[in-house]
């Protein structure tokens, strides 16, 4: 009985360590490819995500963007300030339903062009990452990622 328990505890420990190492390996490999894209497009680490989101739906408020990106509003303000300086976005003052002032964020012409480049580059990266996966396996990968994110949230 003791030998069986030790075997299973060792097996679980090995699986956890293996998961940890594989996750780090995956993260590093993806980060290496992503950073090469960021550098080529002259973008900071945070800017591609914002460009990608605004490409899909222009006109989010700063607060909405912060929530979607899962960062604090002050961090989003900093990112947007840099993006505005680089002429990727512009802000438009609006009144919210509660009669409060907010800024909606829109892509400039340069921002739209760069957002298309970001989209194109990350479509290629996604194809590379999922090369050889069936449609069912791709769906399973996303389901697994969603479970892990939920567990960590």
């Amino acid at each position: 009985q003791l030998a069986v328990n030790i075997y299973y505890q060792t097996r679980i420990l090995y699986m956890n360590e293996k998961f940890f190492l594989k996750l780090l390996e995956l993260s590093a490999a993806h980060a290496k490819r992503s950073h090469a894209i960021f550098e080529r497009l002259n973008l900071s680490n945070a800017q591609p995500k914002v460009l990608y989101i605004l490409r899909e739906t222009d006109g989010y408020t700063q607060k909405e963007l912060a929530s979607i990106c899962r960062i604090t509003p002050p961090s989003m303000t900093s990112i947007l300030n840099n993006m505005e300086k680089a002429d990727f976005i512009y802000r438009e003052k609006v009144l919210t339903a509660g009669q409060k002032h907010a800024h909606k964020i829109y892509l400039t012409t340069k921002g739209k062009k760069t957002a298309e480049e970001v989209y194109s580059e990350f479509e290629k990266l996604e194809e590379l990452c999922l090369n050889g996966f069936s449609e069912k396996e791709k769906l399973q990968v996303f389901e697994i990622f969603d479970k892990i994110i939920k567990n960590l949230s």
Side-chain angles (χ1 to χ4, degrees):
Q1 182 69 21
L2 181 60
V4 172
N5 283 343
I6 291 173
Y7 168 79
Y8 283 112
Q9 288 174 349
T10 304
R11 184 102 173 111
I12 289 169
L13 181 63
Y14 173 74
M15 287 172 53
N16 287 339
E17 179 182 18
K18 197 167 138 182
F19 174 79
F20 167 72
L21 293 174
K22 281 296 175 193
L23 190 58
L24 286 177
E25 187 178 350
L26 171 63
S27 179
H30 193 273
K32 181 179 178 182
R33 298 281 181 139
S34 296
H35 289 280
I37 294 168
F38 301 165
E39 285 181 23
R40 197 167 49 253
L41 297 176
N42 198 28
L43 300 170
S44 73
N45 289 348
Q47 292 173 339
K49 188 173 188 176
V50 174
L51 289 166
Y52 194 93
I53 291 165
L54 291 174
R55 178 193 172 274
E56 295 296 315
T57 307
D58 221 5
Y60 281 114
T61 65
Q62 287 183 206
K63 187 176 181 179
E64 290 168 333
L65 269 176
S67 177
I68 292 166
C69 291
R70 297 181 184 186
I71 61 173
T72 64
S75 294
M76 181 54 68
T77 299
S78 176
I79 293 165
L80 294 176
N81 286 343
N82 290 330
M83 291 181 76
E84 194 168 36
K85 287 176 192 167
D87 193 35
F88 291 131
I89 58 119
Y90 66 94
R91 294 173 168 121
E92 197 173 276
K93 235 180 196 178
V94 295
L95 282 176
T96 64
Q99 298 300 309
K100 292 185 177 185
H101 290 281
H103 288 99
K104 288 202 172 198
I105 312 303
Y106 296 94
L107 292 173
T108 62
T109 302
K110 179 182 175 184
K112 287 177 184 175
K113 179 182 178 294
T114 306
E116 286 302 323
E117 292 177 79
V118 166
Y119 180 82
S120 173
E121 289 295 324
F122 279 93
E123 284 295 304
K124 291 178 204 169
L125 182 56
E126 185 172 314
E127 283 179 34
L128 179 63
C129 289
L130 299 174
N131 184 33
F133 284 68
S134 69
E135 291 305 311
K136 183 180 178 183
E137 288 171 324
K138 289 176 186 178
L139 181 61
Q140 289 172 333
V141 166
F142 282 92
E143 288 172 348
I144 290 167
F145 283 176
D146 287 341
K147 280 184 178 180
I148 294 169
I149 291 165
K150 183 179 177 187
N151 288 345
L152 296 175
S153 295

